[in-house]
Amino acid sequence: MGNVSISDIKKSYGKVEVLHGIDIDIVDGEFVVIVGPSGCGKSTLLRMVAGLEAITSGEISIDDRIVNEIEPKDRNIAMVFQNYALYPHMSVFDNMAYGLKLQKINKAEIRRRVEEVAKTLQLEEFLKRKPRQLSGGQRQRVAMGRAIVREPSVFLFDEPLSNLDAKLRVQMRLEIKKLQRRLGVTSLYVTHDQIEAMTMADRLIVLNDGIAEQIGTPMELYDDPASQFVGGFIGSPSMNFVAVELKDETIHIGNTTIPCPDHLLHTGPAILGVRPEHFKLPDSGLRELTLNVDVVEQLGADTLMHGRLAGCVEDVVVKLPGNVTIENQSLMRIAVDLSKLLLFDPRTGKRLGRN
């Protein structure tokens, strides 16, 4: 079993409260990613599960056992850190075996576990090397191997890929996800990278200033964000937000009026949310808008157009197929998929009309 229950967890430093009551039940074998901007409390939450930070109030249970007062070494968890935390004077084998030696496990069993995990992680030929003789990706695999050999109930990952270059990050996140599926170990993973979060998670916890804005699957958060913060944080490029006015079953966007779809039951001012990929080339059945194009980014498969809708002050991004060409500083007619439009309260940032 590797179930984790986080119940009304709060954390304060003096009078400053940094976590405001987090609740989530994580089932055995689930991969949950905690995502949010720097300073939102995600690493603090992970360290509280690990026992490295004291809990101000609330309960954390691992394998149906409350662990609030239990030492980290007795929680049956293993943690992979951002900086690898390898012993530079030890070989790869000794780094991976060190925790098992502290547990007084016999040498034959240690060797069996280390060699088995090294084979899984393709580290067999590096077991005698020191960390300085390895690449960044290999060091991260050693850090993961050190966690795996302990055969814990729960893996904790604290931004483990942030020190790697972009190409290696893509490779390593796929390796981590495949490995976690193969091992079936419950995992809590912290990152500020929403692409990393979307591609790896079974479920996401989106934190904002110590509050869990929304918890759900990646596609639930993408299609049905509970707030403007979630809508803007999940998805790349980010969702566009434009101030609009709704009246007489129409939406007034700058100096353009479009029909109000049935799912947007609101009258008055609002923030309209539309993802860059929900703009289209003009087509029958889609309402057209005028985009004042400032900058065009041609990325091969896609073309990103940065500009403003006619009569609006907000910058927007439009994502179109890569074969679309248009000059900078020009006007372009674009269409918008009305069925994908979302509304947010301009005062609270909460979704309007969400069930």
Side-chain angles (χ1 to χ4, degrees):
M1 292 290 289
N3 55 298
V4 178
S5 178
I6 298 172
S7 179
D8 196 27
I9 285 297
K10 297 179 181 179
K11 177 65 178 178
S12 299
Y13 295 102
K15 295 182 179 180
V16 180
E17 190 170 321
V18 295
L19 288 176
H20 307 281
I22 309 296
D23 291 282
I24 184 173
D25 290 319
I26 302 168
V27 301
D28 185 33
E30 192 173 19
F31 197 114
V32 172
V33 175
I34 307 168
V35 65
S38 297
C40 70
K42 54 189 184 294
S43 289
T44 299
L45 178 58
L46 191 76
R47 289 172 64 84
M48 291 167 76
V49 175
L52 302 176
E53 288 276 358
I55 298 168
T56 301
S57 67
E59 285 185 352
I60 295 177
S61 297
I62 299 175
D63 289 337
D64 300 319
R65 178 181 62 153
I66 297 174
V67 298
N68 290 33
E69 305 299 327
I70 294 176
E71 291 294 317
K73 64 183 179 63
D74 299 320
R75 295 191 181 198
N76 198 21
I77 54 96
M79 194 162 182
V80 180
F81 295 93
Q82 175 180 346
N83 62 357
Y84 318 137
L86 301 177
Y87 295 106
H89 63 287
M90 290 185 181
S91 67
V92 168
F93 181 95
D94 289 336
N95 265 284
M96 292 172 65
Y98 186 68
L100 301 181
K101 292 177 181 178
L102 293 179
Q103 295 178 35
K104 309 297 185 184
I105 294 174
N106 68 71
K107 291 183 178 181
E109 175 63 11
I110 290 175
R111 179 162 294 279
R112 183 193 69 79
R113 287 198 201 179
V114 171
E115 290 180 350
E116 185 177 286
V117 171
K119 183 177 181 181
T120 299
L121 295 174
Q122 299 179 350
L123 291 170
E124 294 169 288
E125 62 183 284
F126 306 114
L127 287 176
K128 294 182 179 180
R129 293 191 188 182
K130 300 289 176 62
R132 65 176 179 275
Q133 298 171 302
L134 305 177
S135 68
Q138 289 163 348
R139 292 180 197 177
Q140 191 55 274
R141 276 186 278 157
V142 174
M144 290 171 56
R146 181 178 55 192
I148 294 168
V149 296
R150 295 183 57 191
E151 299 179 354
S153 293
V154 181
F155 283 141
L156 305 177
F157 296 89
D158 190 6
E159 302 201 46
L161 307 183
S162 59
N163 290 335
L164 305 181
D165 62 58
K167 183 177 180 180
L168 191 53
R169 283 177 73 117
V170 173
Q171 178 186 338
M172 285 301 299
R173 75 184 185 219
L174 293 174
E175 288 188 20
I176 289 174
K177 184 60 178 176
K178 287 191 292 184
L179 183 64
Q180 188 270 340
R181 283 181 175 170
R182 187 160 67 247
L183 298 174
V185 179
T186 306
S187 299
L188 260 175
Y189 186 106
V190 161
T191 182
H192 63 272
D193 186 330
Q194 61 88 23
I195 295 178
E196 207 168 280
M198 289 282 287
T199 55
M200 298 180 75
D202 295 323
R203 279 194 298 162
L204 294 173
I205 307 172
V206 180
L207 286 188
N208 180 24
D209 288 335
I211 296 171
E213 288 268 340
Q214 192 172 356
I215 299 173
T217 67
M219 291 312 299
E220 284 173 349
L221 272 60
Y222 175 85
D223 290 327
D224 191 25
S227 66
Q228 188 174 340
F229 177 84
V230 175
F233 198 86
I234 299 298
S236 181
S238 298
M239 179 180 284
N240 299 298
F241 298 108
V242 180
V244 298
E245 180 85 19
L246 284 80
K247 60 182 178 181
D248 301 327
E249 299 183 351
T250 60
I251 304 175
H252 296 259
I253 308 175
N255 56 23
T256 306
T257 301
I258 64 174
C260 183
D262 293 338
H263 69 282
L264 300 182
L265 301 176
H266 180 73
T267 300
I271 301 297
L272 182 71
V274 54
R275 294 199 179 278
E277 54 270 32
H278 294 155
F279 288 107
K280 309 291 180 183
L281 293 172
D283 184 26
S284 59
L286 296 177
R287 186 53 54 116
E288 292 184 20
L289 300 165
T290 300
L291 177 70
N292 297 287
V293 180
D294 292 326
V295 177
V296 178
E297 293 182 295
Q298 291 188 296
L299 307 178
D302 303 306
T303 296
L304 300 183
M305 298 181 182
H306 302 259
R308 295 181 181 182
L309 299 174
C312 296
V313 299
E314 300 89 352
D315 293 326
V316 299
V317 181
V318 173
K319 184 177 180 180
L320 295 174
N323 58 3
V324 175
T325 57
I326 188 170
E327 297 297 323
N328 296 331
Q329 306 298 320
S330 59
L331 296 179
M332 180 181 185
R333 298 293 291 172
I334 58 169
V336 61
D337 188 342
L338 298 180
S339 68
K340 301 294 186 180
L341 299 182
L342 303 176
L343 287 182
F344 301 90
D345 189 312
R347 293 176 296 103
T348 67
K350 301 298 183 183
R351 263 278 298 285
L352 295 171
R354 182 173 182 264
N355 295 327

